[in-house]
């Protein structure tokens, strides 16, 4: 693919925590991890989707003033950021695997509309839906 | 009316969200404040106050909206009896369910059932939790207050003080 969405960012409360969650528990891998002073650009990608990066970003300076950063941290912690959807080949198997690794599920796999879906949160509070692909 | 927003600690908010998630996952269960407070790791008094501050609604009322939402989905999407739906969504009696349902939605369960059936499949491409959230009844006033307003034909602003 030559054109399309390259990076979409998430706000997280702690980049090390987010990194270990997305890499160790979800099986993503690091695409870019570069820093300059207190600023760190960190993106991960799904191993089967190298054309897309998920940015794990920290609210704060130099991008945000402290009041804005505080508001963003609160919004993330309240689970109010937009939904994220992960497609998996086998929802029950992914659920069992992730649960064993300590992923915080908000919904166990449920059959709906001819497929299966489950829900989980990352440590920061970002909500994911995990839907089994229709093949 | 206007209160200065009080900043809440993100770590506390994250733990309050956990209690909200637990109600979301099992709204048919009983969720006394003590149980919720334990999930969030705070005292009962602190829980009720900080939950309302964080999510704009007392925990018990939030639970009611989830139960009604679930009942509405079951009315639309299944042919199960209204009595079964009432008990399965967490009410102890059919009477309480019917009354609360009407107070919150403005319709009886059977009216919602007959109106809603044809729209079920249209939103199939949207994750079910999002559809449910979009259909969740707003409940910015206490149910008792809503009843009073309906009886008086008035539309007063939300109470700022109330116990949950």
């Amino acid at each position: 693919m030559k054109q399309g969405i390259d990076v979409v960012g998430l706000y997280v409360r702690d980049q090390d925590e987010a990194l270990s969650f997305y890499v160790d528990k979800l099986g993503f891998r690091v695409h870019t991890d570069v820093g300059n002073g207190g600023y760190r650009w960190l993106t991960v990608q799904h191993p089967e989707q190298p054309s897309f990066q998920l940015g794990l970003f920290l609210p704060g300076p130099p991008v945000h003033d402290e009041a804005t950063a505080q508001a963003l941290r609160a919004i993330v912690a309240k689970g109010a950021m937009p939904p994220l959807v992960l497609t998996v080949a086998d929802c029950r198997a992914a659920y069992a695997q992730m649960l064993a690794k300590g992923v915080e599920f908000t919904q166990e796999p449920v059959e709906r509309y001819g497929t299966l879906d489950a829900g989980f949160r990352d440590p920061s509070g970002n909500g994911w839906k995990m839907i089994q692909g229709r093949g | 009316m206007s209160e200065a927003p009080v900043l809440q600690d993100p770590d506390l908010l994250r733990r309050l969200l956990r209690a909200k998630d637990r109600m979301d996952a099992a709204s048919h269960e009983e969720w006394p404040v003590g149980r919720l407070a334990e999930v969030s790791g705070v005292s009962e008094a602190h829980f009720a106050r900080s939950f309302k501050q964080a999510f704009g609604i007392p925990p018990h009322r939030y639970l009611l909206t989830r139960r009604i939402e679930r009942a509405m989905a079951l009315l639309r999407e299944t042919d199960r009896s209204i009595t079964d739906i009432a008990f399965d969504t967490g009410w102890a009696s059919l009477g309480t369910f019917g009354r609360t349902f009407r107070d919150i939605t403005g319709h009886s369960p059977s009216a919602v059932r007959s109106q809603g059936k044809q729209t079920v499949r249209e939103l199939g491409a949207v994750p079910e939790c999002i559809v449910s959230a979009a259909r969740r009844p707003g409940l910015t006033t206490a149910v008792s207050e809503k009843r009073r307003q309906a009886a008086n034909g008035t539309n007063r602003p939300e109470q700022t003080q109330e116990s949950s």
Side-chain angles (χ1 to χ4, degrees):
Chain A
M1 190 187 71
K2 300 270 193 251
Q3 302 185 80
I5 298 173
D6 191 28
V7 181
V8 173
L10 287 183
Y11 287 127
V12 297
R13 66 178 175 188
D14 179 298
Q15 285 174 306
D16 288 326
E17 177 188 59
L19 182 61
S20 99
F21 176 80
Y22 283 98
V23 171
D24 301 338
K25 297 190 175 170
L26 261 50
F28 287 41
R29 55 187 178 215
V30 175
H31 181 282
T32 306
D33 187 356
V34 291
N36 183 359
Y39 182 74
R40 182 180 181 191
W41 174 270
L42 171 64
T43 71
V44 294
Q45 64 182 190
H46 192 284
E48 294 180 28
Q49 193 182 19
S51 66
F52 183 88
Q53 298 169 56
L54 187 66
L56 307 174
F57 304 137
L58 217 52
V63 182
H64 308 106
D65 61 275
E66 186 44 40
T68 304
Q70 169 78 28
L72 288 170
R73 286 192 282 266
I75 287 166
V76 172
K78 287 198 275 186
M81 294 303 276
L84 298 145
V85 180
L86 185 68
T87 301
V88 292
D90 183 335
C91 188
R92 284 194 220 280
Y95 169 78
Q97 226 170 53
M98 287 159 61
L99 192 66
K101 290 185 172 177
V103 172
E104 181 179 343
F105 275 88
T106 51
Q107 179 214 302
E108 52 189 45
V110 169
E111 200 160 355
R112 270 195 278 248
Y113 308 123
T115 185
L116 283 161
D117 69 66
F120 64 91
R121 285 198 192 280
D122 77 4
S124 305
N126 292 299
W128 283 85
K129 206 78 198 165
M130 179 165 75
I131 301 181
Q132 184 161 314
R134 285 166 200 267
Chain B
M1 283 297 288
S2 67
E3 294 164 30
V6 182
L7 293 176
Q8 286 178 284
D9 172 22
D11 285 337
L12 169 66
L13 293 171
R14 181 67 185 85
R15 287 184 282 118
L16 294 172
L17 176 62
R18 208 156 273 141
K20 188 164 171 269
D21 281 341
R22 295 285 301 275
M23 286 194 276
D24 288 344
S27 62
H28 59 285
E29 293 182 11
E30 293 302 316
W31 288 102
V33 173
R35 187 180 177 198
L36 293 166
E38 202 179 312
V39 171
S40 293
V42 294
S43 75
E44 291 188 23
H46 192 43
F47 178 83
R49 184 162 22 91
S50 40
F51 187 97
K52 184 178 178 191
Q53 193 187 328
F55 299 111
I57 185 170
H60 179 251
R61 242 198 282 161
Y62 177 71
L63 182 66
L64 288 184
T65 66
R66 294 309 316 258
R67 287 182 173 183
I68 294 293
E69 169 202 323
R70 179 91 196 104
M72 287 200 293
L74 290 172
L75 288 165
R76 285 195 192 100
E77 294 169 19
T78 73
D79 292 316
R80 308 198 22 230
S81 79
I82 291 174
T83 309
D84 280 355
I85 291 173
F87 289 116
D88 284 358
T89 52
W91 270 275
S93 86
L94 185 59
T96 313
F97 168 66
R99 194 165 59 247
T100 311
F101 192 98
R102 262 191 306 276
D103 287 337
I104 290 176
T105 68
H107 304 281
S108 69
S110 53
V112 166
R113 162 156 282 172
S114 54
Q115 286 157 14
K117 287 241 157 166
Q118 57 272 41
T119 63
V120 169
R121 292 267 154 190
E122 286 168 21
L123 292 167
V126 183
E128 195 275 343
C129 55
I130 306 300
V131 176
S132 302
R135 284 175 165 164
R136 193 169 307 157
L139 191 51
T140 51
T141 56
V143 173
S144 56
E145 173 67 5
K146 256 189 124 147
R147 251 175 234 156
R148 220 168 13 249
Q149 286 174 17
N152 297 342
T154 59
N155 190 18
R156 270 173 294 167
E158 182 182 356
Q159 292 168 300
T160 51
Q161 285 295 322
E162 95 180 11
S163 63
S164 63

